C-alpha cells in the first residue's frame, strides 16, 4: 500500500512538472527535506512554508495533494504531523505539494527515520509480570532445555538481532548458587552445572531475571521462578558419640537403655531403621528408635564378659540408602564411685560454645564432681582429647575448670570447629581408680572479623576488541572472605554504561556495543570497583584499565562486484581490461590497507596480469582457437580477491567474466599443394579416388569446404568431391586406353571462423590433384586371322607359318602361346625369337618312309591358345585361340585306286574364353534387399538372353546362344581335275557343326559328292588319277579319297 501511495504522489508531480520548468519558484520551505523520527507525538511541528505574496492572508496555504497524515496552517504555513509514525509499517517517504493559489508550487519531502525500539517480552505475560513458574527435579540433566524466552523486536526487519542473558540468579533458602544459564542466541534456559542442584543443601527455589537486549543496547526483561523437587538421593548420616565411645558400668541392669544412636537424612519425609551388622548377644537395638539396651548382665566378675564391646550399626532409609557406624562400649568397674555431674558423665557429655575471639585464660567450663567419702579429694585429668584440643584449652586438676590457653589464639576459619576433651575424675589418693569420665565438647562460634581480599587484579591494561557482543565476559573478579558463611558482593564505583558487573559472581561483561569507528565511543576506560561482605561491614576496592582495540571488521567495498567484458582474440598484450576501485572503512592501519590478488586457473595463468588494481592482457595473448577454451564457452571467469592487511584478513571477491570473440586469422593449409592419386580403369561410379586433407587452425577447427573449380576432368566430368570431407570419387568410369591421367584444381575455403558472417572474412587455399588411370586387364588377345591353313612337304625342317596375335592392354612380352590340341605325338612346336609372336615349326622329319608308317598325305588341325599377363594373376588372365590346319604331303605314291570318293576337311577356329563371375554385396545391405537384388538381376538376365540370344556378339555374355548361330561357309573342293589352293574358301550352305572339338567360328569344307563329318581322316595310300593325272590320298579300308593339288 505504501508503494502505491508513492506511485500516486509521483504521478501527481509528473502532471505539474511543466509548471516548474517554465516558472521560477517563489514559495520558500524553511526545512526541506524533513527527517521525521518515528514515534514522534502527533502535532509535532515539522517545517514552515512562506510566500511573501500571500503573507498575512487567511487560507493562503494548502496542500495540493490530499493527505491525512500532515496538515498545513492556512494562514501561517506551519506544517505539523497528525499521527505517530511507525518506520516498519508506514510509508517511509511523503511528497507534499504546497500551493498558495498562484502558478508556483513547491514540493516538500518528508522522510520517516527509523528509531531503535526496545524488544518486547510480553509474548509470555507471566514471564513479563514475574510469575512464570516451573518445577524440575533436583537431578534434572545438564543442558536440557527447560524454558525459552520469547521476545520480539520490531527492528528485526532492519537486521536487528537479540542477545539473551541472565541478569540476576537468586537461590533460596540457601543463597549463592549459580546453576542455570541461557543461550545468548535463542534464549533457551538450561542447567549449566556451575553449581549442582541439591534440594537437601538448601536450594529449593531459583529466581532468574532474564534479559533480551538488541544491538543498540535496548532491552526487555522478565522473571522466571524455578522450583526444585526433592528426590531421595541422600544417605543417612550418623551423629557420632564423643570419641566414638559409650561408657557403662558393670552394674547397669538388663533392659536399661545405655545409649541411643541417631542418624539423620537430608531427604525430607525419610524414615530410618537400624540394625546390627553382626549378631550381638550382650546388647539389643530398637530398629525404629535406635535405643540400645543391655540384653545380658555386664558384670566384670564373669570371666566371659569383656570390658569393651565394638558395635557396628547400619542405618537404612526408605530409599534403600544405607550407612554404618562403629563405636566402642566401655564397661566400668564400680567401686564407691565419685559422684559427678550427671550432664558430664552421660554418654553425650557436655557441649559448650565459645566465640573465636575469646580472650586468653577465659573461663570455659567447670566440671562438678565430689567424693562422697569424707576427707577424700578428687583429681581431674585428661583421659584423651581431639587434635590440638590441649593446645587451646587447659584443665585445672584440682578445680575441674577448663579455660583458654594464652597461645595460640582461636581462628574459626583455619582451626577445627569442634574440640573434644575426655576428662576422668578419680580419687586423688588412689590414682588407680577412675570414679567417672565425661566428654566436654567445645564448639567454636564464627565471628565476622575479616575483610574481603581480591585474589588477583591485573596490573596491565586489558585490551579488548570492538564489536564484542553485549554480554561478553571481560574478566571475573574473585574476592574471598575468610569469614565462613560470609558472602562477597561486587559493584562499580561510579557509572560505566559500557560495562556491567554481576553483584554475586563478580563477572565483568560488556553492556553496550563498542565500535572503534564511532566517535562517541571512548578508546579506553579506568574502572573502579568494590568488593563487600554481608551488611557491608567490610569492603575492598580495586582499579582496572580497559583499552579498546580496533578490529578489522570492515571488509573492502568495491563500486562493482561483477564485470562482463568482451574482447577480440587478437587484442595485443598489455591492453587494459578493467581498473578496479575499492575502499576500506576501518580506521587504523593496516586494517584499511588494500591489496589485490588475481585468482586464475592454470589455463589463464599467463594470459592475464594484475598490477595493483589494473587487470591487463599478459604475455600469452587471447586465443579463441583452443579446444579447452571451447569447453569453457570461450569465456574466462577471473576472480580478484580484494583484501585488507588486518588480522584476520577480510576480503571481497570480484568476478570478471571476459568473453573472447573469434577472428579468422589463418588460411587453410595442407601437407602439400599437389596431390597424386591412382585408380584402376573400369572402376564403378562412386569409387574412392583419394582424399585431400587440409587443416584450419581457426575455431571451429578444420571447418573447411572443398570445391572443384577447374582442371582436366573429362567430358562429361569423371570426378566429384565431397565438400565437407575432401574425398574425391568417380562420377563416371574411366578408360586408360582413352585417357591415362586427369588434372583437377580444388579450392579450399574455411567456414564460420569469424565473428563477422561469411563471406566477409573467409580465407582460401588451392590444391592441384593429378589422377593416374591404372591399366586393367579387360581386353583379350586377338589373332589375325583367327584361323589359317597351309600345305607342307614332309621333308620341311624350318618354321612354315608366322602367327599374328596382339593385346590392347598387354605388350607382346606378356603374351604366352601353347598348342593345346591336335599336336599328335608333339610333332609340332612354336618357335619364338625375342618378343615377337612365334612361328609354327615341326619337331621331326616328316618324310614318307619315316612318318610312323604313314605313307600317304596327312592333315593336322592344331589349336593354339594365346594368354595375356604372363606370370600375372591367373584369375584375371584372358586368353584366345587360333586354329592352324597343316596338310603334310609325302613324296612317294602307293598303289593307285579308282575310288572317286573325296574327303571333306573342316576348317575351324576355336576361341578359348575363361570368364570368372563373382558378386560380393556390401555387408551393410539388409538381407531382404540382397535377395530382392539377386532376383531382379536374374530376371534382367533372362530378359536379355531372350532378346540377344541370336546376336553374334552375345556369345561372351550368353555362352549357350552359340547353338543357334550359323556355321561359317565351308571350304569346298574343286571338281576333279582342278587343284586345291591354299586359303581358297567358297561359300556354301550352312551346315551344323557336328564335331564337338571344333569351337565357334570353324568353317566346313564340302565336296560335291559328300560332306565328311569327321575332322580329318587317315589315308594309308597315295595314287594318281588316270583320267585327270592328279594325285590323291586314299584309305584302303573305307575307300575315302582326298585329291591333292597339282
Amino acid at each position: 500500500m505504501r508503494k502505491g501511495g508513492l506511485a500516486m504522489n509521483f504521478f501527481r508531480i509528473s502532471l505539474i512538472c511543466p509548471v516548474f520548468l517554465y516558472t521560477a519558484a517563489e514559495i520558500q520551505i524553511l526545512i526541506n527535506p524533513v527527517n521525521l523520527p518515528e514515534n514522534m507525538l502527533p502535532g509535532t511541528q515539522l517545517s514552515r512554508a512562506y510566500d511573501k505574496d500571500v503573507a498575512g492572508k487567511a487560507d493562503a496555504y494548502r496542500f495540493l495533494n490530499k493527505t491525512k497524515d500532515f496538515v498545513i496552517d492556512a494562514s501561517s504555513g506551519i506544517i505539523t504531523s497528525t499521527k505517530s509514525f511507525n518506520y516498519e509499517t508506514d510509508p517511509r517517504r511523503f511528497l507534499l505539494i504546497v500551493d498558495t493559489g498562484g502558478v508556483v508550487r513547491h514540493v516538500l519531502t518528508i522522510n520517516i527515520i527509523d528509531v531503535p525500539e526496545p524488544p518486547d517480552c510480553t509474548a509470555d505475560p507471566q514471564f513479563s509480570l514475574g510469575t512464570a513458574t516451573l518445577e524440575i527435579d533436583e537431578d534434572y540433566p545438564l543442558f536440557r532445555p527447560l524454558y525459552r524466552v520469547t521476545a520480539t523486536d520490531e527492528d528485526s526487519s532492519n537486521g536487528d538481532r537479540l542477545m539473551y542473558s541472565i541478569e540476576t540468579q537468586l537461590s533460596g533458602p540457601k543463597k549463592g548458587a549459580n546453576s542455570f544459564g541461557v543461550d545468548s542466541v535463542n534464549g533457551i534456559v538450561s542447567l549449566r552445572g556451575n553449581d549442582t542442584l541439591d534440594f537437601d543443601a538448601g536450594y529449593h527455589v531459583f529466581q532468574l531475571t532474564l534479559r533480551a537486549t538488541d544491538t543498540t543496547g535496548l532491552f526487555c526483561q522478565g522473571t522466571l521462578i524455578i522450583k526444585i523437587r526433592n528426590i531421595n538421593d541422600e544417605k543417612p548420616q550418623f551423629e557420632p558419640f564423643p570419641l566414638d565411645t559409650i561408657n557403662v558400668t558393670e552394674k547397669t541392669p538388663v533392659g536399661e537403655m545405655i545409649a541411643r544412636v541417631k542418624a539423620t537424612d537430608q531427604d525430607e519425609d525419610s524414615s530410618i531403621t537400624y540394625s546390627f551388622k553382626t549378631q550381638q548377644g550382650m546388647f539389643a537395638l530398637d530398629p525404629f528408635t535406635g535405643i540400645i539396651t543391655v540384653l545380658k548382665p555386664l558384670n566384670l566378675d564373669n570371666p566371659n564378659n569383656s570390658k569393651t564391646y565394638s558395635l557396628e550399626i547400619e542405618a537404612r532409609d526408605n530409599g534403600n540408602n544405607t550407612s554404618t557406624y562403629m563405636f566402642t562400649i566401655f564397661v566400668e568397674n564400680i567401686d564407691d564411685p565419685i559422684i559427678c555431674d550427671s550432664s558430664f558423665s552421660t554418654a553425650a557429655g557436655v557441649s559448650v560454645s565459645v566465640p573465636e575471639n575469646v580472650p586468653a585464660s577465659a573461663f570455659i567450663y567447670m566440671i562438678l564432681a565430689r567424693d562422697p567419702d569424707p576427707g577424700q579429694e578428687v583429681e581431674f585429668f585428661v583421659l584423651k582429647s581431639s587434635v590440638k584440643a590441649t593446645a587451646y584449652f587447659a584443665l585445672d586438676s584440682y578445680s575441674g575448670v577448663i579455660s583458654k590457653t594464652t597461645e595460640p589464639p582461636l581462628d574459626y576459619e583455619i582451626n577445627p570447629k569442634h574440640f573434644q576433651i575426655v576428662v576422668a575424675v578419680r580419687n586423688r589418693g588412689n590414682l588407680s581408680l577412675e570414679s567417672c569420665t565425661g566428654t566436654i565438647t567445645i564448639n567454636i562460634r564464627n565471628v565476622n572479623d575479616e575483610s574481603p581480599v581480591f585474589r588477583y587484579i591485573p596490573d596491565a591494561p586489558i585490551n579488548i576488541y570492538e564489536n564484542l557482543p553485549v554480554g561478553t565476559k571481560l574478566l571475573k573478579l574473585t574476592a574471598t572472605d575468610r569469614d565462613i558463611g560470609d558472602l562477597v558482593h561486587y559493584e562499580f564505583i561510579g557509572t560505566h554504561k559500557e560495562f556491567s558487573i554481576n553483584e554475586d559472581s563478580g563477572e565483568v561483561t560488556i553492556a553496550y556495543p563498542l565500535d572503534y569507528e564511532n566517535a562517541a565511543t571512548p578508546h579506553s576506560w579506568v574502572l573502579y570497583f568494590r568488593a563487600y561482605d554481608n551488611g557491608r561491614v567490610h569492603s575492598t576496592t580495586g582499579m582496572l584499565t580497559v583499552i579498546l582495540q580496533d578490529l578489522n571488521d570492515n571488509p573492502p567495498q568495491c563500486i562493482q562486484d561483477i564485470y562482463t567484458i568482451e574482447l577480440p582474440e587478437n587484442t595485443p598484450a598489455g591492453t587494459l581490461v578493467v581498473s578496479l576501485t575499492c575502499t576500506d572503512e576501518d580506521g587504523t592501519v593496516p586494517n584499511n590497507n588494500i591489496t589485490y590478488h588475481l585468482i586464475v586457473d592454470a589455463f589463464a595463468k599467463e594470459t592475464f596480469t594484475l598490477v595493483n588494481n589494473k587487470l591487463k592482457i599478459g604475455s600469452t595473448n587471447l586465443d579463441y582457437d583452443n579446444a579447452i577454451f571451447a569447453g569453457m564457452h570461450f569465456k574466462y571467469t577471473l576472480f580478484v580477491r580484494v583484501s585488507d592487511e588486518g588480522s584476520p584478513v577480510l576480503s571481497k571477491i570480484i568476478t570478471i567474466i571476459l568473453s573472447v570473440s573469434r577472428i579468422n586469422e589463418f588460411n587453410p593449409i595442407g601437407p602439400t599443394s599437389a596431390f597424386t592419386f591412382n585408380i584402376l580403369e573400369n572402376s564403378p561410379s562412386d569409387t574412392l579416388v583419394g582424399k585431400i586433407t587440409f587443416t584450419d587452425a581457426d575455431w571451429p577447427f578444420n571447418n573447411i569446404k572443398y570445391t572443384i573449380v577447374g582442371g582436366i576432368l573429362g567430358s562429361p566430368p569423371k570426378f566429384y568431391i565431397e565438400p565437407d570431407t575432401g574425398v574425391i570419387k568417380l562420377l563416371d568410369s574411366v578408360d586408360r586406353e582413352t585417357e591415362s591421367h586427369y588434372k583437377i584444381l580444388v579450392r579450399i575455403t574455411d567456414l564460420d571462423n569469424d565473428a563477422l558472417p561469411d563471406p566477409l572474412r573467409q580465407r582460401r587455399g588451392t590444391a592441384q590433384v593429378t589422377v593416374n588411370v591404372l591399366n586393367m586387364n579387360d581386353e583379350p588377345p586377338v589373332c589375325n586371322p583367327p584361323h589359317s591353313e597351309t600345305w607342307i612337304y614332309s621333308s620341311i625342317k624350318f618354321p612354315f607359318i608366322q602367327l599374328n596375335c596382339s593385346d590392347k592392354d598387354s605388350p607382346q612380352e606378356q603374351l604366352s602361346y601353347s598348342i593345346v590340341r591336335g599336336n599328335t605325338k608333339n610333332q609340332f612346336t612354336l618357335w619364338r625369337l625375342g618378343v615377337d609372336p612365334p612361328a609354327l615349326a615341326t619337331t621331326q622329319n616328316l618324310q614318307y618312309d619315316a612318318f610312323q608308317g604313314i605313307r600317304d598325305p596327312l592333315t593336322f588341325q592344331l589349336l593354339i591358345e594365346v594368354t595375356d599377363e604372363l606370370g600375372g594373376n591367373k584369375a584375371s588372365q584372358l586368353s584366345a585361340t587360333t586354329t592352324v590346319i597343316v596338310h603334310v604331303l609325302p613324296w612317294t605314291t602307293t598303289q593307285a585306286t579308282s575310288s572317286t570318293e573325296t574327303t571333306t576337311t573342316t576348317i575351324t577356329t576355336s576361341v578359348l574364353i575363361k570368364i570368372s563371375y563373382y558378386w560380393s554385396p556390401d555387408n551393410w545391405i539388409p538381407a531382404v534387399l540382397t535377395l530382392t537384388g539377386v532376383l531382379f538381376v536374374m530376371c534382367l538376365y533372362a530378359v536379355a538372353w531372350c532378346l540377344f540370344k541370336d546376336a553374334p556378339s552375345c556369345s561372351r555374355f550368353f555362352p549357350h546362344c552359340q547353338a543357334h548361330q550359323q556355321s561359317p561357309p565351308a571350304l569346298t573342293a574343286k571338281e576333279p581335275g582342278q587343284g586345291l589352293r591354299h586359303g581358297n574358301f567358297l561359300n556354301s550352305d550352312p551346315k551344323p557343326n557336328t564335331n564337338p572339338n571344333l569351337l565357334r567360328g570353324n568353317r566346313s569344307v564340302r565336296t560335291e559328292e559328300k560332306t565328311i563329318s569327321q575332322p580329318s581322316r587317315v589315308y594309308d595310300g597315295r595314287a594318281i588319277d588316270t583320267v585327270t593325272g592328279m594325285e590323291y590320298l586314299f584309305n584302303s579300308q573305307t575307300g575315302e579319297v582326298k585329291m591333292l593339288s597339282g
Side-chain angles (χ1 to χ4, degrees):
M1 183 176 180
R2 179 179 61 196
K3 294 181 178 179
L6 289 175
M8 179 184 70
N9 293 336
F10 284 120
F11 176 73
R12 292 175 178 173
I13 294 173
S14 65
L15 294 178
I16 65 171
C17 279
V19 177
F20 295 155
L21 293 175
Y22 297 104
T23 305
E26 297 181 2
I27 302 175
Q28 299 179 1
I29 305 297
L30 182 60
I31 300 175
N32 191 13
V34 175
N35 293 325
L36 175 60
E38 66 174 334
N39 300 330
M40 292 294 290
L41 295 177
T44 300
Q45 180 175 335
L46 307 179
S47 185
R48 180 177 182 180
Y50 175 77
D51 189 349
K52 64 181 179 178
D53 296 332
V54 298
K57 295 182 181 180
D59 298 331
Y61 301 91
R62 67 187 180 93
F63 287 136
L64 193 61
N65 50 340
K66 295 182 180 180
T67 177
K68 297 180 180 180
D69 301 328
F70 305 91
V71 296
I72 185 170
D73 189 271
S75 58
S76 65
I78 296 176
I79 301 169
T80 57
S81 61
T82 62
K83 60 177 285 188
S84 179
F85 291 88
N86 190 324
Y87 180 84
E88 285 72 26
T89 58
D90 290 333
R92 299 179 181 178
R93 175 175 291 184
F94 295 89
L95 302 178
L96 306 177
I97 303 174
V98 180
D99 181 36
T100 58
V103 296
V104 177
R105 281 92 171 171
H106 203 90
V107 178
L108 171 64
T109 301
I110 300 177
N111 299 316
I112 306 303
I113 305 303
D114 185 26
V115 175
E117 297 174 283
D120 184 11
C121 294
T122 59
D124 185 354
Q126 292 183 346
F127 172 76
S128 59
L129 296 175
T131 59
T133 305
L134 56 88
E135 286 187 45
I136 61 173
D137 293 332
E138 64 177 328
D139 61 346
Y140 194 87
L142 295 174
F143 306 109
R144 177 185 292 179
L146 55 88
Y147 184 79
R148 182 169 185 168
V149 180
T150 303
T152 58
D153 189 359
E154 287 188 356
D155 296 326
S156 61
S157 61
N158 299 325
D160 201 359
R161 290 184 294 178
L162 297 178
M163 300 291 291
Y164 300 88
S165 62
I166 297 179
E167 291 304 303
T168 60
Q169 184 171 178
L170 303 178
S171 61
K174 187 176 180 180
K175 298 181 180 180
N178 184 20
S179 301
F180 297 93
V182 63
D183 191 292
S184 61
V185 177
N186 54 33
I188 293 178
V189 180
S190 59
L191 189 64
R192 295 301 174 90
N194 294 338
D195 293 313
T196 58
L197 293 181
D198 191 351
F199 185 91
D200 308 307
Y203 302 123
H204 297 175
V205 64
F206 287 80
Q207 179 177 309
L208 308 180
T209 302
L210 301 169
R211 176 176 293 181
T213 308
D214 61 16
T215 56
T216 63
L218 300 176
F219 63 90
C220 68
Q221 65 183 27
T223 301
L224 175 64
I225 298 173
I226 303 174
K227 296 182 178 180
I228 310 302
R229 286 192 295 266
N230 185 31
I231 61 174
N232 191 353
D233 61 343
E234 299 288 346
K235 294 181 179 180
Q237 299 294 327
F238 282 93
E239 294 181 4
F241 297 124
L243 301 179
D244 300 326
T245 60
I246 297 176
N247 298 313
V248 297
T249 64
E250 62 178 343
K251 294 182 180 182
T252 303
V254 174
E256 183 176 332
M257 182 184 74
I258 60 174
R260 180 177 181 176
V261 294
K262 183 178 181 181
T264 59
D265 194 344
Q266 294 186 7
D267 296 317
E268 295 183 352
D269 302 325
S270 180
S271 60
I272 300 175
T273 58
Y274 305 89
S275 62
F276 286 119
K277 289 286 289 184
T278 58
Q279 185 68 31
Q280 294 292 331
M282 302 299 294
F283 304 95
L285 174 65
D286 190 296
F288 301 103
T289 62
I291 295 175
I292 302 174
T293 58
V294 178
L295 188 62
K296 293 181 179 180
L298 301 177
N299 188 2
L300 295 178
D301 297 334
N302 186 349
N304 296 324
N305 293 341
S306 174
K307 289 185 178 182
T308 61
Y309 297 90
S310 295
L311 303 181
E312 185 177 8
I313 297 178
E314 180 185 80
R316 183 184 302 272
D317 64 8
N318 52 5
N320 209 31
N321 298 313
T322 63
S323 62
T324 60
Y325 176 60
M326 180 176 286
F327 59 93
T328 303
I329 297 178
F330 293 93
V331 180
E332 295 179 2
N333 188 20
I334 301 300
D335 186 13
D336 295 324
I338 296 174
I339 300 174
C340 297
D341 185 5
S342 59
S343 60
F344 165 74
S345 60
T346 57
V350 177
S351 177
V352 296
S353 177
V354 297
E356 62 175 318
N357 57 355
V358 61
S361 303
F363 173 83
I364 303 299
Y365 183 76
M366 182 176 181
I367 302 172
L368 299 177
R370 65 182 180 86
D371 191 335
D373 297 330
Q376 295 292 326
E377 295 182 355
V378 296
E379 180 184 11
F380 302 90
F381 64 94
V382 177
L383 188 62
K384 59 180 178 179
S385 64
S386 61
V387 178
K388 295 184 179 182
T390 56
Y392 293 97
F393 303 98
L395 172 65
D396 190 316
S397 63
Y398 290 94
S399 63
V401 173
I402 299 175
S403 60
K404 175 67 178 69
T405 60
T406 304
E407 292 291 340
L410 289 173
D411 191 340
Y412 184 84
E413 285 71 32
I414 61 175
N415 295 136
K417 308 301 183 289
H418 310 281
F419 296 92
Q420 287 184 339
I421 302 174
V422 178
V423 178
V425 183
R426 65 186 176 184
N427 192 299
R428 185 175 292 275
N430 188 358
L431 300 180
S432 63
L433 296 179
E434 298 177 0
S435 297
C436 65
T437 59
T439 302
I440 307 298
T441 301
I442 303 173
N443 299 311
I444 308 303
R445 190 171 62 250
N446 186 30
V447 176
N448 188 1
D449 58 347
E450 301 286 347
S451 296
V453 177
F454 284 105
R455 291 184 180 178
Y456 171 73
I457 299 176
D459 297 329
I462 297 178
N463 295 309
I464 62 172
Y465 288 103
E466 61 173 329
N467 294 340
L468 289 176
V470 173
T472 299
K473 178 180 176 181
L474 190 61
L475 80 159
K476 183 175 182 180
L477 298 174
T478 303
T480 57
D481 192 328
R482 295 180 60 190
D483 292 318
I484 296 178
D486 205 358
L487 299 179
V488 179
H489 304 280
Y490 307 88
E491 65 181 0
F492 278 134
I493 302 174
T495 301
H496 303 282
K497 70 173 184 177
E498 292 84 3
F499 305 95
S500 63
I501 188 171
N502 189 284
E503 179 184 4
D504 297 321
S505 66
E507 190 174 85
V508 179
T509 58
I510 295 175
Y512 192 81
L514 304 177
D515 187 358
Y516 191 91
E517 287 75 34
N518 189 349
T521 301
H523 291 172
S524 63
W525 298 265
V526 177
L527 306 179
Y528 294 93
F529 47 86
R530 176 187 295 117
Y532 58 91
D533 59 10
N534 293 338
R536 294 182 180 269
V537 177
H538 305 283
S539 65
T540 304
T541 60
M543 181 189 72
L544 180 66
T545 301
V546 180
I547 297 177
L548 182 64
Q549 299 288 338
D550 183 26
L551 184 67
N552 189 21
D553 58 344
N554 292 303
Q557 298 295 326
C558 302
I559 61 175
Q560 191 171 342
D561 294 339
I562 299 177
Y563 292 85
T564 302
I565 302 169
E566 182 174 358
L567 292 176
E569 63 173 318
N570 58 354
T571 301
T575 300
L576 177 65
V577 178
V578 67
S579 180
L580 307 177
T581 302
C582 302
T583 58
D584 194 308
E585 295 181 357
D586 283 312
T588 61
V589 175
N591 293 340
N592 55 8
N593 287 343
I594 296 178
T595 59
Y596 299 85
H597 177 68
L598 179 62
I599 304 173
V600 294
D601 54 18
F603 181 76
K605 183 176 181 181
E606 302 296 332
T607 307
F608 301 94
T609 59
L610 181 66
V611 180
N612 294 330
N613 63 332
K614 298 184 183 300
L615 179 66
K616 297 181 179 181
I617 302 297
S619 58
T620 301
N621 293 334
L622 302 178
D623 187 8
Y624 188 92
D625 312 313
N626 189 296
I628 298 176
F629 195 40
M632 299 164 58
H633 304 288
F634 305 105
K635 293 180 180 179
Y636 291 99
T637 301
L638 311 177
F639 301 97
V640 177
R641 183 171 62 241
V642 183
S643 309
D644 55 24
E645 297 180 357
S647 178
V649 175
L650 299 180
S651 61
K652 184 179 185 64
I653 300 297
I654 296 178
T655 303
I656 302 172
I657 301 175
L658 176 61
S659 300
V660 180
S661 58
R662 57 185 174 183
I663 299 297
N664 194 357
E665 301 175 286
F666 305 102
N667 291 327
I669 59 174
T672 179
S673 61
F675 295 84
T676 301
F677 303 115
N678 299 319
I679 187 169
L680 293 173
E681 63 175 333
N682 295 336
S683 296
S685 299
D686 211 36
T687 298
L688 174 65
V689 177
K691 182 177 180 181
I692 299 176
T693 303
F694 268 62
T695 59
D696 188 357
D698 288 306
W699 184 270
F701 295 142
N702 306 325
N703 190 20
I704 296 173
K705 177 181 179 182
Y706 300 87
T707 308
I708 296 177
V709 295
I712 303 175
L713 305 175
S715 179
K718 301 293 184 180
F719 306 94
Y720 73 95
I721 190 169
E722 293 182 355
D724 54 343
T725 63
V727 172
I728 300 175
K729 293 184 178 181
L730 274 182
L731 189 61
D732 193 7
S733 62
V734 293
D735 187 358
R736 187 179 185 278
E737 287 72 27
T738 303
E739 187 71 43
S740 62
H741 67 274
Y742 296 87
K743 298 290 185 179
I744 304 174
L745 181 62
V746 179
R747 181 173 63 203
I748 301 93
T749 307
D750 60 11
L751 300 175
D752 301 327
N753 293 130
D754 198 276
L756 294 177
D758 289 341
L760 296 180
R761 290 188 180 175
Q762 283 184 330
R763 293 177 177 265
R764 298 176 176 85
T766 58
Q768 184 71 38
V769 180
T770 301
V771 180
N772 296 319
V773 181
L774 301 179
N775 184 32
M776 182 178 181
N777 190 19
D778 58 347
E779 296 287 343
V782 176
C783 295
N784 188 21
H787 53 81
S788 58
E789 185 177 8
T790 187
W791 286 260
I792 63 173
Y793 289 103
S794 60
S795 61
I796 192 171
K797 292 184 179 180
F798 52 84
F800 55 84
I801 188 171
Q802 179 71 39
L803 299 181
N804 184 18
C805 298
S806 63
D807 193 324
K808 291 183 179 181
D809 51 15
S810 297
Q812 282 293 332
E813 62 267 17
Q814 292 186 1
L815 297 180
S816 62
Y817 300 84
S818 63
I819 302 173
V820 296
R821 189 177 302 166
N823 191 10
T824 304
K825 296 183 180 180
N826 295 324
Q827 292 172 333
F828 297 93
T829 186
L830 295 174
W831 188 10
R832 189 174 188 179
L833 297 176
V835 297
D836 293 331
L840 187 62
T842 61
T843 60
Q844 58 183 324
N845 191 343
L846 298 178
Q847 292 183 3
Y848 176 78
D849 55 355
F851 195 60
Q852 296 183 355
I854 301 301
R855 302 178 182 274
D856 295 306
L858 182 62
T859 299
F860 294 89
Q861 184 173 295
L862 304 177
L863 183 63
I864 300 174
E865 182 183 39
V866 183
T867 305
D868 59 9
E869 293 192 3
L870 178 62
N873 185 9
K874 292 184 178 182
S876 63
Q877 286 179 342
L878 299 179
S879 63
T881 59
T882 181
T883 302
V884 179
I885 299 175
V886 181
H887 302 280
V888 180
L889 302 178
W891 288 102
T892 61
T893 304
T894 61
Q895 183 179 355
T897 181
S898 60
S899 176
T900 60
E901 184 178 359
T902 60
T903 61
T904 302
T905 302
T906 303
I907 302 175
T908 62
T909 300
S910 297
V911 179
L912 180 62
I913 300 176
K914 295 181 181 179
I915 302 176
S916 298
Y917 296 97
Y918 70 95
W919 180 69
S920 177
D922 294 334
N923 54 10
W924 55 267
I925 300 176
V928 175
L929 294 180
T930 303
L931 180 60
T932 304
V934 171
L935 295 176
F936 180 71
V937 172
M938 294 176 64
C939 292
L940 289 180
Y941 184 84
V943 172
W945 184 84
C946 295
L947 294 176
F948 301 105
K949 62 184 179 179
D950 296 328
S953 60
C954 71
S955 61
R956 183 177 181 180
F957 303 100
F958 309 102
H960 299 288
C961 294
Q962 182 64 31
H964 301 280
Q965 295 181 1
Q966 296 180 349
S967 299
L971 179 64
T972 60
K974 292 184 179 181
E975 292 296 332
Q978 295 178 350
L980 295 175
R981 299 293 183 229
H982 175 68
N984 184 13
F985 297 96
L986 298 176
N987 293 331
S988 64
D989 294 335
K991 296 291 182 178
N993 184 9
T994 60
N995 189 352
N997 294 327
L998 298 180
L999 300 180
R1000 62 181 180 272
N1002 294 350
R1003 295 182 181 181
S1004 299
V1005 178
R1006 184 172 62 90
T1007 63
E1008 293 180 352
E1009 290 85 5
K1010 186 178 179 180
T1011 301
I1012 299 177
S1013 59
Q1014 288 77 11
S1016 59
R1017 300 297 183 180
V1018 177
Y1019 302 99
D1020 57 355
R1022 182 175 181 176
I1024 299 174
D1025 190 298
T1026 59
V1027 178
T1028 61
M1030 297 179 61
E1031 291 184 340
Y1032 62 89
L1033 300 176
F1034 67 91
N1035 189 311
S1036 60
Q1037 300 296 328
T1038 63
E1040 294 181 353
V1041 177
K1042 181 177 180 180
M1043 301 301 295
L1044 298 177
S1045 60

